[in-house]
Amino acid sequence: MYEKEVEQLQNIIDDSKRIVFFGGAGVSTESNIPDFRSADGLYQQKYKYSPEQIVSHSFFVRNPEGFYEFYKEKMMFLDAKPNAAHLKLAELEEAGKLTAVITQNIDGLHQAAGSKNVLELHGSIHRNYCMKCHKFYDAAYVKNASGIPRCTCGGMIKPDVVLYEEGLDSDVISRSIKAISEADTLIIGGTSLIVYPAAGFIDYFRGKHLVVINKSATAREVGAKLTIAAPIGEILGRVH
């Protein structure tokens, strides 16, 4: 299955010198991290508040206990391991083929796989700071804290993730746009291209090959040269 598509993708990779990968939640589902929007994703589950409400800035400020209860259980997967997609992307970077990974994920699995130039549009669960004194805390500290994680100074700790109602980091935005605009190949994987402004970044691509690998159809037509409706790890794991 997918032999023809994998062969086409292999030819594109062989023909490329500056690949950029733009990925979303679907990249991590093969590492058993649930996404938000698929049939069994977080948005389909029943909570007192919607996941969108809970992971918003105003909810965090108003109800940090409720936020952390959801966040620790549903968004922090510290035992997750990189899958074939993460490993292949790190390999392509090591080989000098891939210049950047731009991710909407906050799980840190690209770095765990060995990728160096990872642009995290929505931040990371692995960086957490006291809102009072700005002291750094790792993910394990937050995950294992009972209730609201507190700093030694007594201040509340906030994860360095971009919540709804918060803006993306301007430096990460400009570096992402630069990487995409300079790429000869853009591989979009594991994202439905629903979340903006991130999904709009792909409009800066002016290169030769545009590839989309996603289990379901994307929310917008991007004029891809190659579209593969399959799990990303299954496909990337078969190229060399």
Side-chain angles (χ1 to χ4, degrees):
M1 218 176 154
Y2 305 117
E3 284 81 6
K4 183 169 162 271
E5 291 91 340
V6 170
E7 190 184 333
Q8 284 177 275
L9 180 59
Q10 185 67 64
N11 290 336
I12 288 172
I13 289 171
D14 292 343
D15 186 47
S16 306
K17 290 185 172 66
R18 296 183 66 82
I19 301 170
V20 166
F21 179 81
F22 180 93
V27 180
S28 294
T29 50
E30 289 167 89
S31 295
N32 296 317
I33 294 179
D35 65 1
F36 271 56
R37 290 179 171 79
S38 68
D40 51 357
L42 293 180
Y43 282 178
Q44 312 307 323
Q45 298 175 28
K46 296 287 177 274
Y47 300 102
K48 192 176 172 189
Y49 302 96
S50 74
E52 271 169 314
Q53 275 179 293
I54 298 170
V55 291
S56 69
H57 178 82
S58 49
F59 190 93
F60 173 79
V61 172
R62 192 175 67 248
N63 185 357
E65 254 166 310
F67 168 86
Y68 267 116
E69 189 184 343
F70 177 88
Y71 177 76
K72 286 193 261 188
E73 188 193 339
K74 299 294 182 184
M75 297 180 77
M76 298 187 83
F77 296 89
L78 304 191
D79 296 330
K81 299 283 185 285
N83 61 52
H86 299 107
L87 297 168
K88 182 56 65 179
L89 291 167
E91 211 179 284
L92 288 170
E93 184 186 39
E94 177 71 24
K97 283 273 183 188
L98 183 134
T99 56
V101 167
I102 302 167
T103 180
Q104 299 174 77
N105 297 337
I106 58 173
D107 50 47
L109 290 181
H110 285 293
Q111 290 92 330
S115 287
K116 305 284 190 290
N117 190 27
V118 182
L119 299 168
E120 295 172 310
L121 295 174
H122 297 151
S124 172
I125 62 169
H126 297 284
R127 297 187 298 270
N128 305 274
Y129 299 95
C130 171
M131 295 174 76
K132 200 168 165 185
C133 74
H134 307 296
K135 185 178 174 183
F136 171 88
Y137 288 91
D138 64 13
Y141 182 90
V142 170
K143 179 89 170 174
N144 298 325
S146 59
I148 301 167
R150 297 268 175 198
C151 175
T152 48
C153 80
M156 185 165 72
I157 293 167
K158 182 180 186 293
D160 187 16
V161 299
V162 180
L163 304 177
Y164 286 104
E165 304 162 354
E166 294 179 345
L168 303 189
D169 181 277
S170 57
D171 179 55
V172 175
I173 289 175
S174 58
R175 286 167 63 201
S176 299
I177 289 171
K178 185 175 189 291
I180 289 171
S181 64
E182 292 174 352
D184 58 11
T185 294
L186 177 62
I187 301 174
I188 299 168
T191 175
S192 49
L193 296 178
I194 285 173
V195 179
Y196 279 80
F201 292 174
I202 63 171
D203 294 335
Y204 291 91
F205 179 64
R206 296 286 178 270
K208 197 173 173 185
H209 306 291
L210 180 57
V211 178
V212 175
I213 307 168
N214 197 47
K215 283 204 307 194
S216 56
T218 52
R220 47 173 292 194
E221 181 53 57
V222 293
K225 192 168 192 174
L226 174 63
T227 302
I228 308 173
I232 180 95
E234 190 178 330
I235 301 300
L236 283 184
R238 287 162 68 179
V239 299
H240 55 263

